[in-house]
Amino acid sequence: MTLEGQENRSDTSHNKSPLLSDPWKPCRRHRAVVKELLLKLRCCLGTVCGIEWYGYAALGILTAILSFLMDLSVAKLLRAHQWLYTMLEGNVLLQFFCWTLYPACICAIASSFSHNICPFSTGSGIPEVRTMLAGFEMPHYLSLTNLFSKFLGLICTLAAGSTVFLGKVGPFVHLSTMVGGYLSNLCTLIQRDKKEKAAGEMLVVSAGVGVASCFGAPIGGVLFSVEVMSSHFALRHYCPCFFSAACGALTFRLLAVWGGDGETLQALFRTNFPDALPFYPLEILLFAFLGLLCGAVSCCYLFCHRWILRFTKTNPVFAKMLTTEKGLYSGMVVFFLASLTFPHFAGQYMASKYTMKELLTSFLDSRQWTSQSHNTSEQLEPLLEWSSSGTSVYFSLVFFLLMKMWMLVLACTLPLPAGYFMPVFIYGAAIGRLIGEGAAYLSSTGVTPGQQWASVNPGGYALAGAAAFSGAVTHTLSPVLVAIELTGQFTHAVPILLATLMANALSRSGHRPSFYDALSISKRLPHLPSLKKASPQLPSTPVGQVAVKSVLLQKAAGPVEAEQAVRTSTEMQIPVVDSYESQTLLGFVLRSELLTFLRRWKTESPEKHLDEGCCIHQTSIVISPHNTVQEAHSILSLLGSQTLFVADEGKLVGLITWPEVGISPCCFLAKPLAQHLFSIH
Amino acid sequence: MTLEGQENRSDTSHNKSPLLSDPWKPCRRHRAVVKELLLKLRCCLGTVCGIEWYGYAALGILTAILSFLMDLSVAKLLRAHQWLYTMLEGNVLLQFFCWTLYPACICAIASSFSHNICPFSTGSGIPEVRTMLAGFEMPHYLSLTNLFSKFLGLICTLAAGSTVFLGKVGPFVHLSTMVGGYLSNLCTLIQRDKKEKAAGEMLVVSAGVGVASCFGAPIGGVLFSVEVMSSHFALRHYCPCFFSAACGALTFRLLAVWGGDGETLQALFRTNFPDALPFYPLEILLFAFLGLLCGAVSCCYLFCHRWILRFTKTNPVFAKMLTTEKGLYSGMVVFFLASLTFPHFAGQYMASKYTMKELLTSFLDSRQWTSQSHNTSEQLEPLLEWSSSGTSVYFSLVFFLLMKMWMLVLACTLPLPAGYFMPVFIYGAAIGRLIGEGAAYLSSTGVTPGQQWASVNPGGYALAGAAAFSGAVTHTLSPVLVAIELTGQFTHAVPILLATLMANALSRSGHRPSFYDALSISKRLPHLPSLKKASPQLPSTPVGQVAVKSVLLQKAAGPVEAEQAVRTSTEMQIPVVDSYESQTLLGFVLRSELLTFLRRWKTESPEKHLDEGCCIHQTSIVISPHNTVQEAHSILSLLGSQTLFVADEGKLVGLITWPEVGISPCCFLAKPLAQHLFSIH
């Protein structure tokens, strides 16, 4: 074995020489043995498939474990709150304080925690992740402190329950991206080749895994991330995405099984819709109407959301609070929301005792709520809560919809790590339930032709409404698949797809930004599809109008010119032309190499000209000023490069980098973010 | 009304002036009224949404109607054959002739019909469609005669039933592309703007609609076409694709309902898997093993398929028969296949009396075949046929798998319009059923730990096998969704996904071409992902090695030089340089404009120089010789352009067109096809 080890060592001497040569490190012998074993393991693993595939599997499994742990702790925190509230039964004042202060304190703590530890951890994370996927490097968004504070902050947000009404999808995409970032570093460490490819691919994959591990919905998760993240999807990412998502979903569900939740792998919100006759053919029209209604409501919601995003920036009081007193602001807003949902006050009309999960389960129930009120023996649990105040369920649902609309918009301003997909999904389910209950009531009283429509299923409408509304808000279609995977029932696939298409048609008709686009615009993160909605003329603008006149150097430039160029230009690549008169583009020099050239010129024997002392790199792609910004954006994202040179008949016109493509002149980057954005290589 | 009409007429005078001014056309008044009404209708339609959306809806509906009509006629033809066969009960010889000659004649007729009417209508059509989607124009493949002969030929192929064992997916993609081509022409006629965009988009959409209308599977259909067709998918096509596919699937299922097939919209192969306990967690390992098995079998199948594709080209007898005597060849092969499957001969061991649909239904049955043999009172129909010869079902299944493997490979050589997805899907279901029956038998006899595994469902294995095998053969993952949509059951989603991933991993591991890639290579259709498998080094080759030295003109070129350039070059765009010495690229002239210039020079006052008489267009994008072929391919397909110029430091090196990118030097185009391929613009 030692001989073999010797051989192995000589093969990979560059791996171990620093280890063995450093006399200060302890246990050299043992460490060498361990390292040898690890190298052998790498060889063994490498024979089955590429190392990156283990990375994908690990990514899925780790994210699923994170998701499971989070669900577990959130459930414990929610149960503690419920237990305390029940214990205080009889004393309304104490109950009120318990109901309001618990979430308010939790959110205030989470807010100041994330503000102090890592200010980038607030919000959804999806706009930032898609900016990273577009090619920007934002290292602060993938740091370990961010992972830590986002994870803890999200637990607090979710523990506040249905009072603040926020979800976990967006932050989970961000969390899995961070995990993916670390794993890709690990993979490149092991592989030592294919460096850039693996890093980029891992980011794409992890965006899909986040949603998949969050719900145990591999297919819908991957497609949702594809729709939200990119404008072009490369099919070579398809297999890694699905593999990692399947690993994640499998782990997530197996953990649930091992945790004693059911005998086998089941959907998160399993429904019992009748298989034989899920819906009548004519009901399709009603589903289409539901889709249109959801689209209309989503337009209203998106308008309110855009308004409040602007308001919190322009109103001096809000703006100041949100920059300095995040904890106080969160506490106050959550206290206000919680006092409204107090079950002895307005909360009794909106089933505020339910957690988010219980709300969705009650909406997706296939039994009709209203019919059960006739025979009280079969009184159902959902009914108990939804008509606990003695009012009709229709009133409760309408009240729920009206109140939650502005409460949700207000909750979106909270500086907490929070997802905005699940609340929208549940809100849509409520819209669908309202229509479904109405249809079921009308059909059971015989308004519809004959006795045919005896068994209209209001749960199906709730599911269609959920998919349609969340699809309309995010401008995506994949909530159809998410809805199907969440419930595990395929019977309503076609009506759900139809409703979602209708809702999307209405919500996209005005070319208004989607929810995530509005966030991107508000945070000034470059993302072309969102900016297309903010300034529709930009993508078809010729590049020539946008390209910046950059500092340039001629081939025969001396050190003085080079020094001046370095001082005046901030670009990483400085173009080199034949001569200042002809302006024929030859290539570019890297800023770093130019600095080396200058340093050498100062210290050593001076080289006279640029082309003698510096390597002139060839420009990979040159575009003409007549190409549109849209095309320039496509090429930049396709090649993953940072700079495109614009030349007209071989003569340099200017250059195009991400800011020129993504950011319209009216929308310059805010200073702190800009520093991150421009730290490009 | 006349006044309004007058006004309207003056608005759209350019529309109607030729109509009204031509004195020879009859019923001028009536035609004008009709035209006015149509124009008003266009205005009304245009207010709701863009005209192209009506086109997408019409595309889906028309394709679904075609699919429904085809299913109807095929069912009638199959029933006629069965009726005749049953009538001849007692006379084995007559039965033999009925069994063999009916499909042989049908296929021979279909083959000679398609050979004479439109030779492009044979085969699957998917390789051709994806070549068209890559940007090539192949007008013969979208002609009306092709539509007609493909439709009739496909009916004949399907009417031959499970004897020839071919499906309808591929040709339906082709059919819907043809319908889409006509509808896009209609849309551009109505719109008069956005011409090119609509045409390209309609083709992408129709590829997805074909699969969706074939099975009533909108989601899986769109994703399948995305995976098979392209290497990059633009998300702006997502909504049109799903909209059109949903229209198609809805129409297809509604037609089935109105045709009396069930009370509501149902899946094509509805299964009754138990919802409560679809599978035990440990069964997932068995599903993964099934996936690996399917992957291994698919490698074997793909090898045989590639071998026979080569054999039919190199063997002189086969090659001659397939070019001249297509009808005879088809008749002979089908007669041979049919005589093997004769139910009184080997057919009794492979349930040859079943049609394709019945085969799949029997495989997907959730009840165990073997257990029913104990209590004969509950004797099941699938069992009756699968053990009709008295042999065990295992023997029948193994015999079926062994025989169908080479029979399917042989059937793939038939010069008929035929799909190859469905047979592969059914074959995979048989593999899965074999494993599932074994697992169910073992678990029921108590080999597994305890009495836990009382109810293993072999149908689930069949479904997973079907998705895994068809996914492995086509190198796609979307068969998972197709399988789910075909059966309407979501319970097995995660194990099916896992099995398909495993199968894909194995079948892609050797970088061998997929089924459609092999067809593309054999037909010499340019498609980068397939050529990547044929010659893996090509995509990373620098462009400089592939770029062709093209004929070029200097700015000051005279007519003599221009004439020579036109004679020697076949390119549509001829590059123009500053001077032959400097070779600085200025732009290009179009061949057509150059011809005009030459004509004018001969007839009228001669202009001396090229730049005076001809417009020099600016090159949109110039790439450097160091870019890889992969990147050049991406940029070409992104921009939908036909030529890229390669320049080094502003000096022209050569140019890149589709053939350079797609076709490796070893694989030049066959002459007749090349003429179509190069007829660009």
Side-chain angles (χ1 to χ4, degrees):
Chain A
M1 195 223 122
T2 39
L3 202 91
E4 201 187 314
Q6 290 271 339
E7 256 183 41
N8 206 333
R9 203 173 305 160
S10 64
D11 283 352
T12 53
S13 55
H14 61 284
N15 292 339
K16 282 179 293 169
S17 51
L19 180 73
L20 290 172
S21 62
D22 187 356
W24 293 103
K25 286 195 175 171
C27 308
R28 280 167 54 197
R29 191 78 221 144
H30 297 284
R31 289 163 63 109
V33 168
V34 167
K35 192 146 194 177
E36 235 162 64
L37 286 176
L38 282 177
L39 285 171
K40 265 186 207 157
L41 182 67
R42 185 181 83 180
C43 286
C44 289
L45 290 178
T47 52
V48 181
C49 59
I51 296 291
E52 69 270 22
W53 289 93
Y54 297 99
Y56 299 141
L59 171 64
I61 292 167
L62 281 178
T63 315
I65 289 173
L66 279 185
S67 173
F68 182 74
L69 285 180
M70 181 172 290
D71 280 3
L72 213 66
S73 29
V74 168
K76 287 234 184 296
L77 282 170
L78 282 175
R79 213 175 306 135
H81 186 206
Q82 272 181 343
W83 172 83
L84 192 63
Y85 184 80
T86 329
M87 281 294 117
L88 298 172
E89 196 78 63
N91 190 331
V92 175
L93 193 68
L94 279 183
Q95 275 196 320
F96 176 76
F97 283 124
C98 164
W99 184 265
T100 51
L101 288 182
Y102 187 90
C105 289
I106 281 186
C107 287
I109 291 168
S111 217
S112 26
F113 179 77
S114 68
H115 174 67
N116 291 321
I117 304 285
C118 182
F120 306 108
S121 68
T122 60
S124 152
I126 285 185
E128 287 88 0
V129 171
R130 68 180 181 183
T131 307
M132 279 186 268
L133 285 183
F136 282 91
E137 288 197 14
M138 299 162 76
H140 286 255
Y141 280 85
L142 295 181
S143 67
L144 200 60
T145 44
N146 201 348
L147 176 72
F148 179 67
S149 69
K150 193 132 199 166
F151 188 74
L152 287 186
L154 188 57
I155 288 180
C156 294
T157 310
L158 294 177
S162 64
T163 301
V164 289
F165 205 61
L166 291 171
K168 72 179 228 197
V169 177
F172 241 85
V173 171
H174 196 166
L175 280 177
S176 77
T177 314
M178 295 181 217
V179 176
Y182 279 95
L183 284 173
S184 88
N185 285 349
L186 194 69
C187 281
T188 47
L189 210 84
I190 297 173
Q191 277 186 309
R192 283 148 200 280
D193 52 347
K194 304 190 257 174
K195 195 173 180 181
E196 287 177 24
K197 191 194 149 209
E201 218 160 57
M202 193 64 100
L203 279 190
V204 176
V205 170
S206 49
V209 170
V211 188
S213 323
C214 203
F215 295 138
I219 305 171
V222 170
L223 293 181
F224 183 73
S225 85
V226 166
E227 278 194 89
V228 168
M229 296 300 167
S230 47
S231 54
H232 276 81
F233 188 69
L235 280 165
R236 65 171 188 281
H237 296 152
Y238 223 68
C239 259
C241 274
F242 275 107
F243 174 69
S244 192
C247 287
L250 205 60
T251 313
F252 182 71
R253 297 202 193 170
L254 277 178
L255 285 172
V257 171
W258 292 331
D261 181 22
E263 205 178 342
T264 182
L265 280 70
Q266 301 228 312
L268 209 57
F269 295 95
R270 212 159 75 80
T271 49
N272 290 306
F273 298 165
D275 270 335
L277 189 61
F279 56 90
Y280 298 94
L282 266 183
E283 279 187 76
I284 285 174
L285 296 177
L286 209 52
F287 278 106
F289 168 72
L290 172 63
L292 289 177
L293 181 69
C294 285
V297 178
S298 82
C299 285
C300 169
Y301 171 70
L302 287 175
F303 176 79
C304 294
H305 180 242
R306 283 196 301 271
W307 177 82
I308 204 144
L309 280 179
R310 243 193 337 267
F311 180 74
T312 50
K313 288 208 163 175
T314 51
N315 184 292
V317 181
F318 268 82
K320 193 163 175 234
M321 276 204 97
L322 277 170
T323 41
T324 54
E325 301 294 336
K326 284 185 181 174
L328 184 65
Y329 175 79
S330 295
M332 277 167 56
V333 169
V334 174
F335 182 82
F336 172 64
L337 291 176
S339 56
L340 277 178
T341 61
F342 183 52
H344 290 282
F345 181 51
Q348 60 187 311
Y349 306 114
M350 44 201 276
S352 66
K353 271 189 186 168
Y354 278 144
T355 61
M356 305 278 280
K357 277 197 177 184
E358 285 166 339
L359 272 176
L360 190 53
T361 313
S362 74
F363 287 136
L364 293 179
D365 192 25
S366 65
R367 292 162 297 186
Q368 202 181 328
W369 288 353
T370 43
S371 73
Q372 268 89 24
S373 55
H374 300 305
N375 43 350
T376 42
S377 62
E378 281 187 48
Q379 195 86 354
L380 283 166
E381 220 191 315
L383 188 62
L384 279 175
E385 199 55 49
W386 278 104
S387 61
S388 60
S389 57
T391 52
S392 112
V393 289
Y394 300 108
F395 174 77
S396 298
L397 276 172
V398 170
F399 188 75
F400 177 87
L401 288 173
L402 288 178
M403 292 294 281
K404 280 291 178 198
M405 168 68 88
W406 66 264
M407 285 166 73
L408 183 54
V409 169
L410 185 58
C412 286
T413 65
L414 288 174
L416 288 168
Y420 308 116
F421 181 82
M422 208 57 196
V424 172
F425 195 81
I426 294 174
Y427 192 88
I431 301 178
R433 186 80 204 186
L434 184 63
I435 301 285
E437 280 292 327
Y441 176 74
L442 286 182
S443 71
S444 64
T445 53
V447 178
T448 49
Q451 273 294 56
Q452 276 186 315
W453 286 31
S455 60
V456 166
N457 171 9
Y461 287 90
L463 193 58
F469 190 69
S470 50
V473 167
T474 55
H475 286 195
T476 56
L477 294 177
S478 38
V480 177
L481 274 168
V482 173
I484 290 168
E485 287 186 279
L486 272 182
T487 57
Q489 285 223 300
F490 206 79
T491 46
H492 281 71
V494 172
I496 294 176
L497 182 57
L498 194 70
T500 310
L501 280 167
M502 289 290 164
N504 258 285
L506 209 60
S507 76
R508 287 186 194 204
S509 59
H511 295 288
R512 313 298 304 168
S514 78
F515 187 86
Y516 294 121
D517 290 345
L519 283 181
S520 276
I521 294 168
S522 150
K523 291 187 176 181
R524 296 179 179 173
L525 293 168
H527 182 245
L528 188 73
S530 46
L531 285 154
K532 205 187 272 181
K533 284 162 194 157
S535 54
Q537 79 292 346
L538 178 70
S540 50
T541 313
V543 160
Q545 296 182 16
V546 188
V548 283
K549 270 271 172 219
S550 80
V551 176
L552 45 81
L553 285 169
Q554 68 178 3
K555 200 168 72 178
V560 183
E561 287 169 84
E563 198 164 12
Q564 197 183 356
V566 168
R567 257 210 311 281
T568 48
S569 164
T570 56
E571 303 293 338
M572 286 298 138
Q573 301 179 353
I574 295 168
V576 177
V577 292
D578 203 15
S579 65
Y580 292 131
E581 291 76 43
S582 77
Q583 297 242 333
T584 307
L585 181 66
L586 296 180
F588 60 89
V589 285
L590 288 176
R591 189 188 179 81
S592 54
E593 289 179 359
L594 207 57
L595 288 172
T596 321
F597 165 66
L598 285 174
R599 211 176 308 128
R600 210 166 43 212
W601 168 70
K602 278 175 190 153
T603 56
E604 294 166 37
S605 61
E607 289 122 348
K608 282 237 175 85
H609 293 307
L610 185 71
D611 55 345
E612 291 162 14
C614 225
C615 167
I616 298 179
H617 298 271
Q618 292 224 326
T619 52
S620 148
I621 291 191
V622 179
I623 63 174
S624 97
H626 301 274
N627 284 92
T628 60
V629 170
Q630 168 93 65
E631 285 168 338
H633 179 272
S634 307
I635 292 169
L636 273 176
S637 55
L638 199 75
L639 300 178
S641 61
Q642 300 287 351
T643 314
L644 276 185
F645 292 97
V646 183
D648 190 5
E649 303 194 353
K651 291 183 181 57
L652 184 72
V653 171
L655 48 80
I656 283 281
T657 55
W658 278 106
E660 276 80 46
V661 177
I663 304 290
S664 63
C666 62
C667 162
F668 283 114
L669 284 176
K671 195 67 196 164
L673 193 58
Q675 285 168 354
H676 296 297
L677 287 183
F678 286 126
S679 68
I680 46 184
H681 286 276
Chain B
M1 195 222 122
T2 39
L3 203 91
E4 201 188 315
Q6 290 271 340
E7 257 181 41
N8 206 333
R9 204 174 302 158
S10 64
D11 283 353
T12 53
S13 56
H14 61 285
N15 292 340
K16 283 178 291 168
S17 52
L19 179 73
L20 290 172
S21 62
D22 187 354
W24 293 103
K25 285 195 174 170
C27 308
R28 282 166 52 195
R29 190 78 221 143
H30 297 284
R31 288 161 65 112
V33 169
V34 168
K35 193 146 193 178
E36 238 162 61
L37 287 176
L38 282 178
L39 285 172
K40 265 186 209 158
L41 182 67
R42 186 181 81 181
C43 286
C44 288
L45 291 178
T47 51
V48 182
C49 58
I51 296 289
E52 69 270 21
W53 289 93
Y54 298 99
Y56 299 142
L59 171 65
I61 292 167
L62 281 178
T63 316
I65 290 173
L66 278 184
S67 173
F68 183 74
L69 286 180
M70 182 172 290
D71 280 3
L72 212 67
S73 29
V74 168
K76 288 236 183 293
L77 283 170
L78 281 175
R79 213 174 308 137
H81 186 206
Q82 272 181 343
W83 173 82
L84 191 64
Y85 184 80
T86 329
M87 280 295 117
L88 298 172
E89 198 78 64
N91 191 331
V92 175
L93 192 68
L94 279 183
Q95 274 196 321
F96 176 75
F97 282 124
C98 164
W99 185 265
T100 51
L101 289 183
Y102 186 90
C105 290
I106 280 185
C107 286
I109 291 168
S111 217
S112 23
F113 178 76
S114 68
H115 175 67
N116 291 321
I117 304 285
C118 181
F120 304 110
S121 68
T122 60
S124 152
I126 285 184
E128 287 88 0
V129 170
R130 70 179 178 183
T131 307
M132 279 186 267
L133 284 183
F136 282 90
E137 287 194 16
M138 299 160 77
H140 286 255
Y141 280 85
L142 295 180
S143 66
L144 201 61
T145 44
N146 200 349
L147 176 72
F148 180 68
S149 69
K150 193 130 199 167
F151 188 73
L152 287 187
L154 188 57
I155 288 180
C156 294
T157 310
L158 294 176
S162 64
T163 302
V164 289
F165 206 59
L166 291 171
K168 71 180 230 199
V169 177
F172 241 85
V173 171
H174 196 168
L175 280 177
S176 77
T177 313
M178 295 181 218
V179 176
Y182 278 95
L183 284 174
S184 88
N185 285 350
L186 195 67
C187 282
T188 46
L189 210 82
I190 296 173
Q191 277 186 310
R192 285 148 198 279
D193 52 346
K194 304 189 255 172
K195 197 173 178 181
E196 287 178 23
K197 190 195 151 209
E201 218 160 58
M202 192 64 101
L203 279 190
V204 176
V205 169
S206 48
V209 171
V211 188
S213 324
C214 203
F215 294 137
I219 306 170
V222 170
L223 293 181
F224 183 72
S225 86
V226 167
E227 278 194 272
V228 168
M229 296 299 167
S230 47
S231 55
H232 277 81
F233 188 69
L235 280 165
R236 63 172 190 280
H237 296 151
Y238 224 67
C239 259
C241 273
F242 275 106
F243 174 69
S244 192
C247 286
L250 205 60
T251 313
F252 183 71
R253 295 201 194 169
L254 278 178
L255 284 172
V257 171
W258 292 332
D261 182 20
E263 205 178 343
T264 181
L265 280 71
Q266 302 229 311
L268 209 56
F269 295 95
R270 211 159 74 80
T271 50
N272 290 306
F273 297 165
D275 270 335
L277 189 62
F279 56 90
Y280 298 94
L282 265 183
E283 278 187 76
I284 285 173
L285 296 177
L286 209 52
F287 278 107
F289 168 73
L290 172 63
L292 289 177
L293 182 69
C294 285
V297 177
S298 82
C299 286
C300 169
Y301 171 71
L302 287 175
F303 176 80
C304 294
H305 180 242
R306 283 195 301 271
W307 178 82
I308 205 146
L309 279 179
R310 244 195 336 268
F311 180 74
T312 50
K313 288 208 163 177
T314 49
N315 184 292
V317 182
F318 269 82
K320 192 161 175 234
M321 275 203 99
L322 276 170
T323 41
T324 54
E325 300 294 336
K326 285 185 179 172
L328 184 64
Y329 175 80
S330 295
M332 278 167 57
V333 169
V334 174
F335 182 83
F336 172 64
L337 290 176
S339 56
L340 278 177
T341 60
F342 182 52
H344 290 283
F345 182 51
Q348 61 187 307
Y349 305 113
M350 46 203 274
S352 66
K353 272 189 186 169
Y354 277 144
T355 61
M356 304 276 280
K357 277 197 177 182
E358 286 167 339
L359 272 176
L360 191 53
T361 313
S362 74
F363 287 135
L364 294 179
D365 193 27
S366 65
R367 293 162 297 187
Q368 201 182 328
W369 289 354
T370 43
S371 72
Q372 269 89 24
S373 54
H374 299 306
N375 44 349
T376 42
S377 63
E378 281 187 48
Q379 194 87 355
L380 284 165
E381 221 193 315
L383 187 63
L384 280 174
E385 198 56 49
W386 279 103
S387 61
S388 59
S389 56
T391 53
S392 111
V393 289
Y394 300 109
F395 174 78
S396 298
L397 275 171
V398 171
F399 189 74
F400 175 88
L401 287 173
L402 288 179
M403 291 294 281
K404 280 292 178 197
M405 169 67 89
W406 66 265
M407 284 166 74
L408 183 54
V409 169
L410 186 58
C412 287
T413 64
L414 288 174
L416 287 168
Y420 309 116
F421 181 82
M422 208 57 198
V424 172
F425 195 82
I426 295 175
Y427 192 88
I431 301 177
R433 186 82 205 186
L434 184 63
I435 300 286
E437 280 291 328
Y441 176 75
L442 286 182
S443 71
S444 65
T445 52
V447 177
T448 50
Q451 273 295 56
Q452 276 188 314
W453 286 29
S455 60
V456 167
N457 171 8
Y461 287 90
L463 192 58
F469 190 68
S470 50
V473 167
T474 54
H475 286 195
T476 56
L477 294 177
S478 38
V480 176
L481 274 169
V482 172
I484 289 168
E485 287 187 279
L486 272 182
T487 57
Q489 285 224 299
F490 206 80
T491 47
H492 281 71
V494 172
I496 295 176
L497 181 57
L498 193 72
T500 310
L501 279 166
M502 288 290 165
N504 258 285
L506 209 61
S507 76
R508 290 187 192 202
S509 59
H511 295 288
R512 312 297 305 167
S514 78
F515 188 87
Y516 295 121
D517 290 345
L519 284 180
S520 275
I521 295 168
S522 150
K523 290 187 175 181
R524 295 176 181 175
L525 293 168
H527 183 244
L528 188 75
S530 45
L531 285 152
K532 204 186 273 181
K533 284 161 193 158
S535 54
Q537 79 292 343
L538 180 68
S540 51
T541 312
V543 160
Q545 295 182 17
V546 187
V548 283
K549 270 271 173 216
S550 80
V551 176
L552 47 80
L553 285 169
Q554 67 180 0
K555 200 169 72 178
V560 183
E561 288 169 82
E563 197 164 13
Q564 198 182 358
V566 168
R567 255 209 313 280
T568 48
S569 163
T570 56
E571 302 294 337
M572 288 296 139
Q573 302 178 352
I574 295 169
V576 177
V577 292
D578 203 17
S579 66
Y580 293 131
E581 292 75 43
S582 76
Q583 297 241 333
T584 306
L585 182 65
L586 296 182
F588 60 88
V589 285
L590 287 177
R591 189 190 180 77
S592 53
E593 290 179 358
L594 206 58
L595 287 171
T596 321
F597 166 66
L598 285 174
R599 213 176 305 124
R600 212 166 39 213
W601 168 69
K602 277 175 190 156
T603 56
E604 294 166 38
S605 61
E607 290 122 348
K608 281 236 175 88
H609 293 308
L610 186 69
D611 53 346
E612 293 162 13
C614 227
C615 166
I616 298 179
H617 298 270
Q618 292 223 329
T619 51
S620 147
I621 292 192
V622 179
I623 62 174
S624 96
H626 301 275
N627 285 92
T628 60
V629 169
Q630 169 93 63
E631 285 167 338
H633 179 273
S634 308
I635 292 170
L636 272 177
S637 54
L638 199 74
L639 300 178
S641 61
Q642 300 286 350
T643 316
L644 277 184
F645 292 97
V646 183
D648 191 3
E649 302 191 356
K651 289 184 183 58
L652 185 73
V653 171
L655 49 80
I656 284 280
T657 54
W658 278 107
E660 275 81 45
V661 176
I663 303 292
S664 64
C666 62
C667 164
F668 283 112
L669 286 176
K671 195 66 195 166
L673 194 56
Q675 285 168 353
H676 296 295
L677 287 184
F678 287 127
S679 68
I680 42 179
H681 290 288

